[in-house]
Amino acid sequence: MRVLLPVALSTAAALALAALALAWSVRQSDEFSIQRQQRMTERSIRAVLGELAKQQEMVAVWNDTVRQLNQHPLDEKWIHANIGGWLHLTFDQDRTYILNPQDQPVDVVIDGTRVSLDAFEEVRTSFQELIRGLRNDAGQTRQNSSSHFAPGAYLKSGRALHDTRLLKLLGRPAAVSAMKIVPEDDDLIQVPGSEFLLVSVRFLDGNFLTHLAEQNLIERLRFSLTNEPGENEVGVPLRSDEGKHIGYFIWKPELPGTTILRTFGPSIIAVCALLICVMALLARSLRRSMSKLRKAVMELRASEAQAHHLAFHDVLTGLPNRAMFDERLDHTLAGAGPQDKLAILMLDLDRFKHVNDTLGHQAGDCVVREFGQRLSLLLRGSDTIARLGGDEFAVVLAGIGEREDVERICARILDAVHKPFEISGKQAFVGVSIGVALAPEAGLERVDLMRKADIALYQAKSEGRNSYRIFTAVMDEAVKVRSTIEEELRAALVTGSDLRLFYQPQVDVDGQSIIGLEALVRWHHPTRGMIAPHQFIPIAEETGLISPLGEWVLRQACVASKRWPDLTIAVNLSPIQFRTGDLARQLIDIVHEAGADPRRIEFEITESLLLGDSDLSHSALKTLRQEGFKIALDDFGTGYSSLSYLRRFEVDKIKIDRSFIQHLGQQDESMAIVTAIVTLCRAMGLTVTAEGVETEDQKLFLSQTGCSEMQGFLFSGALPEDQIGDLLTSLKRRLTSQDDADLASFSQGIRQAALA
Ligand code: C2E
Ligand code: CA
Ligand code: CA
């Protein structure tokens, strides 16, 4: 509207101005034309007066006429032929009167016909003044300068005495000229005052007008006594020389302006209409595009709002996202006084990957969404709940009282997750681990608080999951140690000089000999001393260092395998190693390069690897077995202990976890389990190794149950390579030098050899 109005107004103004200018110029040119025609008419009338005199002069200044008029009786025939009749015939004079010196008519001709002299009486009074004037004039041409139609200049003869008038004659406008009849030269003497007079009349209406109109192309020219012009006509008053009103000339003037307007008017109107149409169309399309623009702006605003929502909310749960969480936490921290307490909770679902792997990603999404809802129901509206990504959530609890309040909330969350998640008829079970950082104790800065909550979460996860931990400074210390260890392990792997591979013998109870060695890595840290595998293997697994470490271990083991070709060397593989695409190929290549025999190498895997049920690990294991490697299932009984794995993955050996062996003789349950495992494995044709055998009783029970192999401190701990060599030689010596019966026990033999 702001654009439209000025455009419309200025267009209207321009059109109005143009119309005004047009009207003005039309009027001007019409006016001009009227004036011109008026002048033309006036000039014609003036000319008539002059012409009348000139015509008269031809007969009035002539010796013959004077002579003829002065003879008695008059030669009427001659007079008619040469004066009245002739003037009518030749010049169309309407009337002629010849008056004697006493002003009595001697000849009257009306319309070319000689009539009775009495006819003069009807005009006598009209001519009276004209005649009197001429008679009183002292014998020379009257220059009637006062007359508007002064004709004097037309006369060539100095002798002609005359006067002319415009008159109303018999109710008609008339040009009247009166001239003294005088001789042409001095041959004839005319006594002054005794002249005859010739009076000629030319009516200005009738055929004069027709003539005038034809000559000057004046339309509808007529005479009227009253001023009553018709439509499109003009009237011009005619006055006698005495100023008496005679009547009006009325005609239809030529109006060039109006004519042009008539001719071009329709086109001009059409052009204007077109212009208005164009303007209207323009206005309409402008209005349309304006409204479109307005709509677009509104849509833009809406999508902006939507984009804003999307930028700050998680699509799956509708909860705030990390950006929003950060903003809110910053805001809360900024507004918190020194006494205000708040808690930051980091939550991570346990076994979520399992749900994703077994039930599909949609099921995983359902669990995440449902968990978000359960959280929202548990917490207050003023608390901030956000999904940070994947199965990670974060909560800010503002205005909390005591530490116990936070603990109560955490316990409630753990409880809420216990209830199974229903997904299209199936049930999914997940747990949640929670890490908590409390402000202001743990800090007042967002990044720091979140890092600390993360550390607590890590702690909760590594200490058995489905629990919560509140951050303490010790945790921070542990984290720092971990990151130092990571750095140092990375460095150690480059040189390999601080790493050692130890070997723990595996013994065959029936054969009473060492049949294999388990390779166990050791790290001799230059300042920290010996670092146990359980301290750095998890770090290596988290940081990806486990792959280069595993390769290093295998290379060392290959060397050992070549040194003791009769023994099987067991090498531990972390499930993490299986995540790298082509593990089997890498391992085979290392063994080939080292020139070791795959049949002498055994890979120990854990149940957790089989739990994932991934095609990757399945095919890797298959390839390794086909290549001749043996596969042993380590720590059996600690995980999910599904014997169905054994069938599916075709392992060669089961290693019963040492926790069962430890409790043999103390717990009936352990004995039952071990017996069951051994019986089952034997039935399936699998070798069974018992780990962590520390006592003779344990060894006795196991051998009686039918366990084929054993490993534990009863025989030997893990030893460096050279000590293994010594052990093997001393064992051989003892076995050959002593009787079987003297050998109190096999285990003792080895232990003694190991101690030696
Ligand atoms: P593991 O595979 O179960 O190895 C056996 C662990 O039990 C070894 O601990 C060994 O010293 C210990 N052990 C052996 N006999 C007895 C016994 O009679 N009583 C007791 N209490 N313990 C006994 P270590 O060497 O500290 O290794 C710990 C874990 O570290 C290993 O458990 C293994 O899972 C991992 N590990 C060690 N070396 C490697 C390696 O090279 N690669 C991988 N991936 N993991 C390794
Ligand atoms: Ca092992
Ligand atoms: Ca083990």
Side-chain angles (χ1 to χ4, degrees):
M1 210 56 204
R2 235 172 287 154
V3 186
L4 228 55
L5 201 65
V7 170
L9 281 178
S10 50
T11 309
L15 283 177
L17 259 172
L20 262 166
L22 190 69
W24 183 80
S25 57
V26 163
R27 250 191 74 152
Q28 273 305 99
S29 91
D30 284 354
E31 200 79 12
F32 190 75
S33 168
I34 290 169
Q35 281 173 9
R36 192 179 51 82
Q37 286 184 333
Q38 193 179 331
R39 275 201 308 276
M40 230 144 66
T41 310
E42 284 170 357
R43 202 183 298 139
S44 301
I45 292 166
R46 203 185 304 143
V48 168
L49 291 171
E51 273 162 25
L52 272 181
K54 245 163 68 183
Q55 293 157 11
Q56 284 178 319
E57 194 190 359
M58 290 183 193
V59 292
V61 185
W62 193 14
N63 293 353
D64 286 359
T65 312
V66 176
R67 256 186 229 119
Q68 284 290 337
L69 286 172
N70 285 303
Q71 78 179 25
H72 292 280
L74 281 173
D75 183 349
E76 287 171 0
K77 230 178 179 173
W78 187 93
I79 291 197
H80 186 67
N82 288 287
I83 302 174
W86 186 77
L87 285 173
H88 173 76
L89 216 65
T90 315
F91 301 113
D92 229 1
Q93 290 193 353
D94 292 313
R95 292 183 180 204
T96 47
Y97 304 89
I98 300 173
L99 307 179
N100 64 13
Q102 289 76 42
D103 293 338
Q104 291 306 318
V106 293
D107 184 64
V108 177
V109 176
I110 294 176
D111 293 330
T113 312
R114 207 161 175 264
V115 297
S116 152
L117 297 177
D118 299 339
F120 178 69
E121 295 314 314
E122 60 183 4
V123 298
R124 181 184 287 276
T125 38
S126 301
F127 292 165
Q128 204 163 9
E129 217 165 315
L130 177 68
I131 293 166
R132 195 187 302 139
L134 194 59
R135 291 281 185 211
N136 292 344
D137 215 314
Q140 48 176 294
T141 302
R142 189 187 123 109
Q143 294 293 320
N144 194 351
S145 57
S146 74
S147 169
H148 191 55
F149 300 105
Y154 290 105
L155 299 180
K156 56 178 193 275
S157 155
R159 293 173 176 266
L161 287 170
H162 80 111
D163 199 358
T164 50
R165 285 286 149 87
L166 279 181
L167 293 174
K168 189 168 168 182
L169 193 66
L170 303 169
R172 297 171 70 187
V176 181
S177 181
M179 187 174 276
K180 287 183 178 170
I181 298 171
V182 292
E184 64 196 76
D185 49 33
D186 294 333
D187 291 353
L188 206 68
I189 302 299
Q190 172 75 52
V191 183
S194 65
E195 298 95 342
F196 280 75
L197 289 184
L198 173 62
V199 182
S200 290
V201 174
R202 185 82 165 98
F203 286 113
L204 296 177
D205 54 0
N207 73 344
F208 167 78
L209 274 192
T210 316
H211 234 81
L212 185 65
E214 273 170 13
Q215 249 171 24
N216 296 307
L217 299 170
I218 299 171
E219 258 184 276
R220 282 198 256 161
L221 182 62
R222 65 195 147 84
F223 180 80
S224 167
L225 291 174
T226 52
N227 187 13
E228 47 192 19
E231 204 187 332
N232 301 325
E233 288 179 333
V234 290
V236 171
L238 182 67
R239 287 179 204 287
S240 70
D241 289 331
E242 289 78 35
K244 270 191 215 146
H245 178 77
I246 301 175
Y248 298 90
F249 282 113
I250 289 174
W251 74 95
K252 185 180 171 237
E254 193 188 317
L255 301 172
T258 309
T259 310
I260 287 174
L261 193 65
R262 285 237 179 84
T263 316
F264 294 106
S267 345
I268 291 171
I269 288 169
V271 166
C272 286
L274 201 74
L275 200 72
I276 288 167
C277 276
V278 166
M279 288 303 297
L281 279 175
L282 215 71
R284 212 172 64 156
S285 81
L286 198 70
R287 185 147 6 111
R288 272 205 198 140
S289 31
M290 284 297 279
S291 73
K292 261 189 212 157
L293 196 71
R294 215 169 294 138
K295 213 174 124 195
V297 166
M298 263 151 76
E299 275 172 3
L300 198 70
R301 271 196 206 137
S303 65
E304 225 171 69
Q306 203 182 1
H308 187 264
H309 185 87
L310 280 179
F312 289 99
H313 287 84
D314 167 52
V315 180
L316 184 61
T317 57
L319 292 172
N321 64 9
R322 187 183 286 273
M324 179 95 153
F325 180 81
D326 287 356
E327 203 182 282
R328 288 231 191 130
L329 182 51
D330 276 339
H331 186 79
T332 313
L333 286 168
Q339 301 302 315
D340 291 335
K341 289 182 175 181
L342 58 105
I344 289 101
L345 275 61
M346 289 288 192
L347 304 97
D348 191 294
L349 294 177
D350 302 326
R351 275 173 51 78
F352 178 69
K353 191 182 172 311
H354 181 67
V355 173
N356 259 342
D357 289 347
T358 54
L359 299 175
H361 284 280
Q362 276 184 333
D365 286 353
C366 283
V367 169
V368 165
R369 208 179 300 130
E370 166 94 36
F371 176 66
Q373 283 165 2
R374 290 187 192 179
L375 263 187
S376 306
L377 286 175
L378 275 179
L379 302 172
R380 295 168 302 179
S382 56
D383 298 329
T384 298
I385 308 167
R387 182 184 175 217
L388 304 185
D391 58 343
E392 276 179 69
F393 289 79
V395 171
V396 180
L397 304 174
I400 46 161
E402 296 305 315
R403 187 189 172 92
E404 287 73 43
D405 295 339
V406 182
E407 289 182 331
R408 217 177 15 255
I409 291 171
C410 288
R412 258 194 274 155
I413 295 173
L414 290 177
D415 223 38
V417 177
H418 260 308
K419 215 174 70 189
F421 290 77
E422 303 281 344
I423 297 144
S424 51
K426 286 183 184 159
Q427 286 191 330
F429 293 89
V430 293
V432 65
S433 299
I434 308 170
V436 185
L438 298 170
E441 296 97 302
L444 284 165
E445 216 267 315
R446 171 171 57 83
V447 177
D448 192 36
L449 283 168
M450 284 178 78
R451 186 182 67 86
K452 286 171 175 167
D454 245 343
I455 291 170
L457 172 65
Y458 177 83
Q459 197 75 20
K461 279 222 177 268
S462 57
E463 286 174 22
R465 297 165 184 258
N466 213 23
S467 59
Y468 67 89
R469 292 287 180 276
I470 296 175
F471 174 83
T472 58
V474 179
M475 287 182 194
D476 207 9
E477 202 49 50
V479 168
K480 280 179 190 149
V481 169
R482 284 173 64 85
S483 69
T484 334
I485 285 179
E486 182 197 334
E487 269 170 51
E488 290 170 348
L489 179 62
R490 204 179 288 275
L493 269 170
V494 175
T495 59
S497 56
D498 294 336
L499 295 171
R500 300 265 189 295
L501 206 56
F502 276 39
Y503 298 91
Q504 185 177 30
Q506 297 175 326
V507 300
D508 174 356
V509 179
D510 299 332
Q512 298 191 336
S513 59
I514 296 175
I515 50 156
L517 301 168
E518 180 178 1
L520 294 161
V521 71
R522 296 289 178 267
W523 181 11
H524 282 283
H525 192 277
T527 54
R528 291 178 204 268
M530 181 80 107
I531 304 177
H534 75 261
Q535 279 183 298
F536 67 88
I537 294 287
I539 298 174
E541 283 180 334
E542 277 169 33
T543 55
L545 290 171
I546 193 69
S547 290
L549 181 66
E551 287 170 19
W552 180 86
V553 168
L554 184 57
R555 271 191 210 101
Q556 305 299 310
C558 285
V559 177
S561 168
K562 286 202 296 187
R563 183 170 170 187
W564 301 298
D566 299 336
L567 303 181
T568 300
I569 308 292
V571 173
N572 291 283
L573 288 180
S574 158
I576 307 295
Q577 283 175 270
F578 282 84
R579 290 190 196 160
T580 55
D582 207 13
L583 177 70
R585 193 74 261 152
Q586 285 172 19
L587 299 179
I588 291 165
D589 287 350
I590 290 171
V591 173
H592 279 185
E593 268 172 42
D597 181 1
R599 286 170 301 170
R600 290 282 154 211
I601 300 210
E602 189 172 80
F603 288 118
E604 295 192 2
I605 59 164
T606 56
E607 277 181 300
S608 64
L609 177 73
L610 306 180
L611 199 72
D613 201 6
S614 93
D615 291 341
L616 209 64
S617 43
H618 187 95
S619 73
L621 290 176
K622 208 172 154 191
T623 312
L624 290 172
R625 285 192 88 215
Q626 279 167 356
E627 196 66 22
F629 294 101
K630 287 195 187 67
I631 305 293
L633 190 56
D634 205 357
D635 305 338
F636 188 78
T638 54
Y640 295 87
S641 307
S642 167
L643 288 170
S644 62
Y645 303 140
L646 308 182
R647 215 185 288 278
R648 256 189 289 156
F649 286 95
E650 299 176 70
V651 296
D652 301 280
K653 188 193 259 188
I654 296 291
K655 292 182 81 175
I656 304 172
D657 192 70
R658 69 166 182 266
S659 55
F660 297 102
I661 310 301
Q662 261 173 3
H663 298 116
L664 285 177
Q666 299 158 15
Q667 284 183 355
D668 293 345
E669 200 188 14
S670 293
M671 287 160 76
I673 290 171
V674 171
T675 312
I677 295 172
V678 174
T679 314
L680 196 88
C681 288
R682 281 175 71 105
M684 290 173 76
L686 295 171
T687 311
V688 187
T689 300
E691 278 189 306
V693 182
E694 292 180 2
T695 66
E696 286 293 335
D697 292 341
Q698 289 165 357
K699 185 193 120 182
L700 196 66
F701 178 83
L702 289 164
S703 56
Q704 280 170 355
T705 316
C707 181
S708 43
E709 293 175 9
M710 282 178 256
Q711 184 182 345
F713 293 165
L714 178 63
F715 313 105
S716 171
L719 300 171
E721 195 179 332
D722 49 346
Q723 286 187 35
I724 291 289
D726 296 346
L727 172 70
L728 288 173
T729 22
S730 75
L731 193 65
K732 212 179 257 173
R733 212 174 37 238
R734 275 164 198 267
L735 281 172
T736 45
S737 64
Q738 289 179 11
D739 283 341
D740 283 7
D742 286 347
L743 210 65
S745 76
F746 172 75
S747 53
Q748 255 175 338
I750 294 178
R751 197 164 48 229
Q752 276 161 10
L755 288 170

Coordinates of all heavy atoms in Angstrom, one line a residue, residues 582-614:
D582 N 39.9 -56.7 9.2 CA 40.5 -57.9 8.6 C 41.5 -58.5 9.7 O 42.6 -58.8 9.3 CB 41.2 -57.5 7.3 CG 41.3 -58.7 6.4 OD1 40.7 -59.7 6.7 OD2 42.1 -58.6 5.5
L583 N 41.0 -58.7 10.9 CA 41.9 -59.2 11.9 C 42.5 -60.5 11.6 O 43.7 -60.7 11.7 CB 41.1 -59.3 13.3 CG 41.9 -59.9 14.4 CD1 42.9 -58.9 14.9 CD2 41.0 -60.3 15.6
A584 N 41.7 -61.5 11.1 CA 42.2 -62.8 10.8 C 43.4 -62.7 9.8 O 44.4 -63.3 10.0 CB 41.1 -63.7 10.2
R585 N 43.2 -61.9 8.8 CA 44.3 -61.8 7.8 C 45.5 -61.2 8.4 O 46.6 -61.7 8.2 CB 43.7 -60.8 6.7 CG 44.5 -60.7 5.4 CD 44.3 -61.9 4.5 NE 45.5 -62.8 4.7 CZ 45.4 -64.1 4.5 NH1 44.3 -64.7 4.2 NH2 46.5 -64.9 4.6
Q586 N 45.4 -60.2 9.2 CA 46.5 -59.6 9.9 C 47.3 -60.6 10.7 O 48.5 -60.7 10.7 CB 46.1 -58.5 10.8 CG 45.7 -57.2 10.1 CD 45.0 -56.2 11.0 OE1 45.2 -56.3 12.3 NE2 44.3 -55.2 10.5
L587 N 46.5 -61.4 11.5 CA 47.1 -62.4 12.4 C 47.9 -63.5 11.6 O 49.0 -63.8 11.9 CB 46.1 -63.0 13.3 CG 45.3 -62.1 14.2 CD1 44.3 -62.8 15.1 CD2 46.3 -61.3 15.2
I588 N 47.2 -63.9 10.5 CA 47.8 -65.0 9.7 C 49.1 -64.5 9.1 O 50.1 -65.2 9.1 CB 46.8 -65.4 8.6 CG1 45.6 -66.1 9.2 CG2 47.5 -66.2 7.5 CD1 44.4 -66.3 8.3
D589 N 49.1 -63.2 8.6 CA 50.3 -62.6 8.0 C 51.4 -62.6 9.0 O 52.5 -62.9 8.6 CB 49.9 -61.2 7.5 CG 49.1 -61.2 6.2 OD1 48.9 -62.3 5.7 OD2 48.6 -60.2 5.8
I590 N 51.1 -62.2 10.2 CA 52.2 -62.0 11.2 C 52.8 -63.4 11.5 O 54.1 -63.6 11.5 CB 51.6 -61.5 12.5 CG1 51.3 -60.0 12.3 CG2 52.6 -61.6 13.7 CD1 50.5 -59.3 13.4
V591 N 52.0 -64.4 11.6 CA 52.5 -65.8 11.9 C 53.3 -66.3 10.7 O 54.4 -66.9 10.9 CB 51.3 -66.7 12.2 CG1 51.8 -68.2 12.4 CG2 50.6 -66.3 13.5
H592 N 52.8 -66.0 9.5 CA 53.5 -66.5 8.3 C 54.9 -65.8 8.2 O 55.9 -66.4 8.0 CB 52.7 -66.2 7.0 CG 51.7 -67.2 6.8 ND1 50.9 -67.2 5.7 CD2 51.3 -68.3 7.5 CE1 50.0 -68.3 5.8 NE2 50.3 -68.9 6.9
E593 N 54.9 -64.5 8.5 CA 56.1 -63.7 8.4 C 57.1 -64.2 9.4 O 58.3 -64.3 9.1 CB 55.8 -62.2 8.7 CG 55.6 -61.4 7.5 CD 55.1 -60.0 7.9 OE1 55.7 -59.4 8.9 OE2 54.1 -59.5 7.3
A594 N 56.6 -64.6 10.6 CA 57.5 -65.1 11.6 C 58.0 -66.5 11.4 O 58.9 -67.0 12.0 CB 56.9 -65.0 13.0
G595 N 57.3 -67.2 10.4 CA 57.6 -68.5 10.1 C 57.2 -69.5 11.1 O 57.8 -70.6 11.3
A596 N 56.1 -69.2 11.9 CA 55.6 -70.1 12.9 C 54.5 -71.0 12.4 O 54.0 -70.7 11.3 CB 55.1 -69.3 14.1
D597 N 54.3 -72.0 13.1 CA 53.3 -73.0 12.7 C 51.9 -72.7 13.4 O 51.8 -72.7 14.6 CB 53.7 -74.4 13.1 CG 52.7 -75.5 12.7 OD1 51.7 -75.1 12.0 OD2 52.9 -76.7 13.0
P598 N 50.9 -72.3 12.6 CA 49.6 -71.9 13.1 C 49.0 -73.0 14.0 O 48.3 -72.7 15.0 CB 48.7 -71.8 11.9 CG 49.6 -71.5 10.8 CD 50.9 -72.3 11.1
R599 N 49.3 -74.3 13.8 CA 48.8 -75.3 14.6 C 49.3 -75.3 16.0 O 48.8 -75.9 16.9 CB 49.1 -76.7 14.0 CG 48.2 -76.9 12.8 CD 48.6 -78.1 12.0 NE 50.0 -78.0 11.5 CZ 50.8 -78.9 11.0 NH1 50.3 -80.1 10.8 NH2 52.0 -78.7 10.6
R600 N 50.4 -74.6 16.2 CA 51.0 -74.5 17.6 C 50.6 -73.2 18.3 O 51.1 -72.9 19.3 CB 52.6 -74.5 17.4 CG 53.1 -75.8 17.0 CD 53.1 -76.8 18.2 NE 53.0 -78.2 17.8 CZ 52.4 -79.1 18.5 NH1 51.9 -78.9 19.6 NH2 52.4 -80.4 18.0
I601 N 49.7 -72.5 17.6 CA 49.2 -71.2 18.3 C 47.7 -71.3 18.6 O 46.9 -71.8 17.7 CB 49.5 -70.0 17.3 CG1 51.0 -70.0 17.1 CG2 48.9 -68.7 17.9 CD1 51.7 -68.7 16.9
E602 N 47.4 -70.9 19.8 CA 46.0 -70.9 20.3 C 45.6 -69.5 20.6 O 46.3 -68.8 21.3 CB 46.0 -71.8 21.5 CG 44.6 -72.2 22.0 CD 44.6 -73.2 23.1 OE1 44.9 -72.8 24.2 OE2 44.5 -74.4 22.8
F603 N 44.4 -69.1 20.1 CA 43.9 -67.8 20.4 C 42.9 -67.9 21.5 O 41.9 -68.7 21.4 CB 43.3 -67.1 19.2 CG 44.4 -66.7 18.2 CD1 44.4 -67.2 16.9 CD2 45.4 -65.7 18.5 CE1 45.4 -66.8 16.0 CE2 46.3 -65.3 17.6 CZ 46.3 -65.9 16.4
E604 N 43.0 -67.1 22.6 CA 42.0 -67.1 23.6 C 41.1 -65.9 23.4 O 41.5 -64.8 23.3 CB 42.7 -67.0 25.0 CG 43.6 -68.2 25.3 CD 44.0 -68.3 26.8 OE1 43.6 -67.4 27.6 OE2 44.8 -69.2 27.1
I605 N 39.8 -66.3 23.3 CA 38.8 -65.2 23.1 C 37.8 -65.3 24.3 O 37.9 -66.2 25.1 CB 38.0 -65.4 21.8 CG1 37.3 -66.8 21.9 CG2 38.9 -65.3 20.6 CD1 36.2 -66.9 20.8
T606 N 37.0 -64.2 24.5 CA 36.1 -64.2 25.7 C 34.7 -64.3 25.2 O 34.4 -64.1 24.0 CB 36.3 -62.8 26.4 OG1 36.0 -61.8 25.5 CG2 37.6 -62.7 27.1
E607 N 33.8 -64.6 26.2 CA 32.4 -64.8 25.8 C 31.8 -63.5 25.3 O 30.9 -63.6 24.4 CB 31.7 -65.2 27.1 CG 31.7 -66.6 27.4 CD 30.9 -66.9 28.7 OE1 31.3 -66.4 29.7 OE2 30.0 -67.7 28.6
S608 N 32.2 -62.4 25.8 CA 31.6 -61.1 25.3 C 31.7 -61.0 23.8 O 30.9 -60.3 23.2 CB 32.3 -59.9 26.0 OG 33.6 -59.8 25.7
L609 N 32.8 -61.5 23.2 CA 33.0 -61.5 21.8 C 31.8 -62.2 21.1 O 31.3 -61.7 20.1 CB 34.3 -62.1 21.4 CG 34.6 -62.1 19.9 CD1 34.9 -60.7 19.3 CD2 35.8 -63.0 19.6
L610 N 31.5 -63.4 21.7 CA 30.5 -64.2 21.0 C 29.1 -63.7 21.3 O 28.2 -63.9 20.5 CB 30.6 -65.6 21.6 CG 32.0 -66.3 21.5 CD1 31.9 -67.7 22.0 CD2 32.4 -66.3 20.0
L611 N 29.0 -62.9 22.4 CA 27.7 -62.3 22.8 C 27.2 -61.4 21.7 O 26.0 -61.3 21.4 CB 27.9 -61.6 24.1 CG 26.6 -61.3 24.9 CD1 26.1 -62.5 25.5 CD2 27.0 -60.2 26.0
G612 N 28.1 -60.6 21.1 CA 27.7 -59.7 20.1 C 27.2 -60.4 18.9 O 26.4 -59.8 18.1
D613 N 27.5 -61.6 18.7 CA 26.9 -62.4 17.6 C 27.2 -61.8 16.2 O 26.4 -61.9 15.3 CB 25.4 -62.6 17.8 CG 24.9 -63.8 17.1 OD1 25.8 -64.6 16.5 OD2 23.7 -64.1 17.0
S614 N 28.3 -61.0 16.1 CA 28.5 -60.3 14.9 C 29.1 -61.2 13.8 O 29.9 -62.1 14.1 CB 29.4 -59.1 15.1 OG 30.7 -59.4 14.9

